Amino acid sequence: MAKEHFSKIGYVLAVAGSAVGLGAIWKFPYVVGQNGGSAFVLLYILICAIVAIPVFLAELSIGKLSESDTVNAFKKLTTKNKTLWGYVGGATMLTAAMIASYYLVIVGWVFKYLSISLSSLPTALPSDMNTSKTLFMEFLTKDWLGQLIFFAIAFASCIIILSRGVKSGIEKISVWMMPALFLMLIFMLLYSFSMSGFIKAAEFLLVPDFSKIGLDSLFSAIGLAFFTMSLGMAVIITYSASLADGTNLFKSTISVVAINIAVAIIAGLVIFTFIFEFNAEPSQGVGLVFMSLPTLFANLGIVGNILSVMFFSALIFAAITSAISIIEPFVFFLIREFHMSRTKSLVAVGSGIFILGVLCIFANIEGIGEKYMLFGKDFFTLLDFTAEKILLPLGGIGGALFAGYVIKKEAIYTLFRPYMTDWMIGVWYFLVRYISPLFVLAIMIYMLFFS
Ligand code: PFF
C-alpha cells in the first residue's frame, strides 16, 4: 500500500485542526471563567510549556520514528515488553474512539444551534435567559430524535471526510476549514472591539489576579492542556506517522501550540465581550455557549443572527477537524494491522462510535437515562469521566515514559537534532522523564480521590 504523507503546511493545519476544537472555543472560556480569568490563562500557558509540549514531542517521536499505527508504533520501538506496550497503544486508541462518541453528540448540539440561527429572520434565538435555559434543557432531556438527527449529521460529516484518506480527506478539509475558522473568529473579534464589554473582557482575560489561583486551578489547567492539545489519545502519534521527512518538528509543534492558545484567547475575548456587554455571569460553566451566548446574539437583531451563524459555523469547523482526528487512529490501526480497506475499517469503527453516541444521547433523556446508570453516574458522564480523568492521563504518562526511557537515545537525537540544539533536547529529556509524568500522575490522583 502506498503510504500517504501530509504536506508540511497540511500537517500543521491538520494537527492544529485536531487541537483547536470544542476544548479551545467552548471549554477554555468557561474554565477560565470559573477560575477567575487571566491568572489561569498564564497558568495554562506555563503548563503547555512544561508538560504539554514535552508530551507532544514524545508522541511525535513515537509516531515519526515508527511510521506505524499506534499499537505497532509502541511495539516496533521497544525490544522488551512488546505486548504490554502494544496494549498501552491500543488503550489510547480506544480512548480516542470513546471520546469521539460523546464529542460528536456535542457537535450535534452545535449543529442544532446553527440551524436555529439560520432558521427564521429576524431571529429564532431565545431572547431571555429563562427561555434559553428551557430550550436547551428540553432539547437535552426530552428531544432524543432531534439530538439523534443532529448527531447523525455530525457523524456522517466525519465519516465522509475520513473515507477519502489522509491527503484528500484530512489534509484537504483542514487546509480550508482552519483558515475559514480563523477569519470568522477575527471578524468577530473586530466586531467585539466596537462594544463596551470588550475592555472588561480584555481585563478579565489578560490582567492577572493571582489571588484566584489555587491547587484546583492547577489541575484544571493540566487537564485542559491535555485535552486541548489532543494528548494521550493516539492522535499525535497517528498524524506524525504520516509526517513528511524534512518537516521542522520543533517549529511545527510550537506553531500548533501557538495557534491553539491564540484561538482560545480570541474565542474567550469574543465570548466574554458579549457576556460583559449584557451583564451576564462569566462563571456559569457549560451553559456559556449554549445558553447565554444565543440570548446575547438574539438581542442584537439581524447582526446578532449573522454573528451567531458565524460563531456556530466556526465551532463546527473546529470540532469536525478535531473529531476526525480522534476517529482516525483506530481506522489507521485496522488498515495497517489487518489490511482492511479504509471503507471497511470505517464501518467497523464507525458502528462502535455510533452505538456509544446513541447511548450517550439517551443517557440524558428523562425516564430512560436513569435505567442504565453505573457507579452512580449516567452513561454520558461515565464515559467522559473514564476517558478524560483516567485513560487520557494514563495515555499521556505512557507516551512520556516510553519516549523518555524506552526509545533509544540515539534515535531521539537523530530525529530532533536538525531542529533543536543538544541543550534543548536535554531539557526535553528531563521534563519528559521526571516532570511531565509526575505532574500528570498528581492530577490523576487528585481528580480521582480528592475532587
Ligand atoms: N483537542 C480537541 C478539543 O480541544 O476540542 C479535542 C480532542 C481531539 C481531544 C483529539 C482529544 C483528541 F485526541
Side-chain angles (χ1 to χ4, degrees):
M1 182 179 49
K3 263 207 355 232
E4 284 188 292
H5 283 294
F6 285 113
S7 68
K8 287 181 191 170
I9 182 73
Y11 170 80
V12 172
L13 289 176
V15 178
S18 169
V20 175
L22 294 172
I25 306 184
W26 173 51
K27 239 183 192 178
F28 182 86
Y30 83 67
V31 178
V32 170
Q34 287 171 331
N35 285 280
S38 49
F40 180 83
V41 177
L42 284 182
L43 188 65
Y44 172 82
I45 294 176
L46 181 76
I47 293 297
C48 279
I50 62 171
V51 183
I53 294 178
V55 176
F56 190 106
L57 285 169
E59 295 195 0
L60 190 156
S61 67
I62 301 174
K64 180 66 191 147
L65 286 173
S66 66
E67 302 209 323
S68 295
D69 60 88
T70 313
V71 174
N72 289 302
F74 279 95
K75 283 188 176 171
K76 213 166 163 179
L77 297 173
T78 180
T79 45
K80 281 186 245 154
N81 303 321
K82 280 188 188 282
T83 316
L84 174 75
W85 284 114
Y87 279 121
V88 172
T92 59
M93 214 171 63
L94 275 172
T95 313
M98 267 164 72
I99 293 186
S101 65
Y102 64 84
Y103 198 85
L104 284 172
V105 172
I106 306 177
V107 185
W109 304 346
V110 186
F111 270 105
K112 154 90 175 174
Y113 275 83
L114 176 66
S115 82
I116 299 180
S117 323
L118 283 168
S119 52
S120 63
L121 289 170
T123 188
L125 291 166
S127 57
D128 66 86
M129 204 48 199
N130 274 339
T131 324
S132 186
K133 221 177 194 162
T134 314
L135 177 83
F136 182 65
M137 290 318 287
E138 298 243 316
F139 178 63
L140 189 71
T141 59
K142 300 206 170 87
D143 187 6
W144 62 267
L145 185 62
Q147 282 195 71
L148 198 61
I149 293 172
F150 287 110
F151 164 68
I153 295 175
F155 174 81
S157 322
C158 292
I159 298 293
I160 292 170
I161 297 167
L162 286 169
S163 69
R164 310 183 65 107
V166 169
K167 241 189 131 75
S168 42
I170 301 176
E171 171 162 336
K172 210 166 185 185
I173 210 78
S174 309
V175 165
W176 74 262
M177 270 194 181
M178 292 309 287
L181 157 72
F182 301 144
L183 285 179
M184 287 192 279
L185 278 178
I186 287 176
F187 179 86
M188 284 187 280
L189 182 68
L190 293 178
Y191 184 84
S192 310
F193 287 164
S194 69
M195 300 173 91
S196 56
F198 182 78
I199 302 290
K200 275 195 191 156
E203 233 169 69
F204 182 68
L205 278 173
L206 307 174
V207 183
D209 171 4
F210 292 101
S211 66
K212 304 260 172 60
I213 289 293
L215 205 56
D216 258 14
S217 330
L218 176 67
F219 291 123
S220 305
I222 302 176
L224 191 66
F226 258 69
F227 190 81
T228 55
M229 292 304 302
S230 305
L231 297 172
M233 256 165 299
V235 171
I236 307 305
I237 299 180
T238 304
Y239 276 13
S240 304
S242 300
L243 176 59
D245 290 332
T247 308
N248 187 323
L249 306 180
F250 188 69
K251 254 199 203 156
S252 49
T253 301
I254 300 297
S255 314
V256 170
V257 177
I259 291 173
N260 202 20
I261 293 176
V263 168
I265 291 182
I266 295 176
L269 280 173
V270 170
I271 292 173
F272 286 118
T273 297
F274 283 92
I275 296 289
F276 287 120
E277 180 84 12
F278 293 98
N279 293 318
E281 179 47 54
S283 60
Q284 60 183 297
V286 183
L288 208 56
V289 161
F290 292 114
M291 293 196 250
S292 314
L293 214 53
T295 323
L296 311 179
F297 287 142
N299 284 305
L300 289 173
I302 179 81
V303 178
N305 252 77
I306 297 171
L307 288 171
S308 181
V309 169
M310 224 178 232
F311 180 81
F312 287 110
S313 312
L315 199 50
I316 285 175
F317 285 1
I320 291 285
T321 45
S322 298
I324 55 177
S325 78
I326 8 185
I327 305 178
E328 175 68 9
F330 213 140
V331 173
F332 191 58
F333 166 70
L334 294 182
I335 295 176
R336 285 294 186 85
E337 177 77 15
F338 301 109
H339 307 290
M340 281 166 78
S341 68
R342 186 162 267 278
T343 314
K344 271 197 193 144
S345 343
L346 273 169
V347 171
V349 178
S351 317
I353 291 176
F354 195 83
I355 294 169
L356 286 181
V358 172
L359 286 171
C360 284
I361 291 174
F362 281 101
N364 285 323
I365 300 295
E366 261 171 29
I368 300 181
E370 299 86 349
K371 300 214 168 91
Y372 57 105
M373 307 226 331
L374 270 172
F375 308 114
K377 290 185 169 27
D378 68 79
F379 188 75
F380 193 128
T381 315
L382 185 74
L383 211 61
D384 178 27
F385 179 88
T386 320
E388 275 181 44
K389 303 229 156 90
I390 303 175
L391 300 172
L392 182 148
L394 280 182
I397 295 178
L401 294 179
F402 190 78
Y405 295 97
V406 181
I407 300 181
K408 289 205 179 74
K409 250 190 166 171
E410 309 86 78
I412 294 274
Y413 272 92
T414 316
L415 180 71
F416 287 139
R417 232 178 216 145
Y419 317 107
M420 291 160 80
T421 61
D422 281 5
W423 180 83
M424 285 159 86
I425 305 176
V427 172
W428 171 79
Y429 253 122
F430 176 74
L431 291 171
V432 100
R433 283 184 159 188
Y434 308 106
I435 307 297
S436 319
L438 271 183
F439 254 103
V440 180
L441 194 67
I443 176 191
M444 207 175 121
I445 294 175
Y446 177 84
M447 284 212 188
L448 288 179
F449 302 108
F450 301 102
S451 73

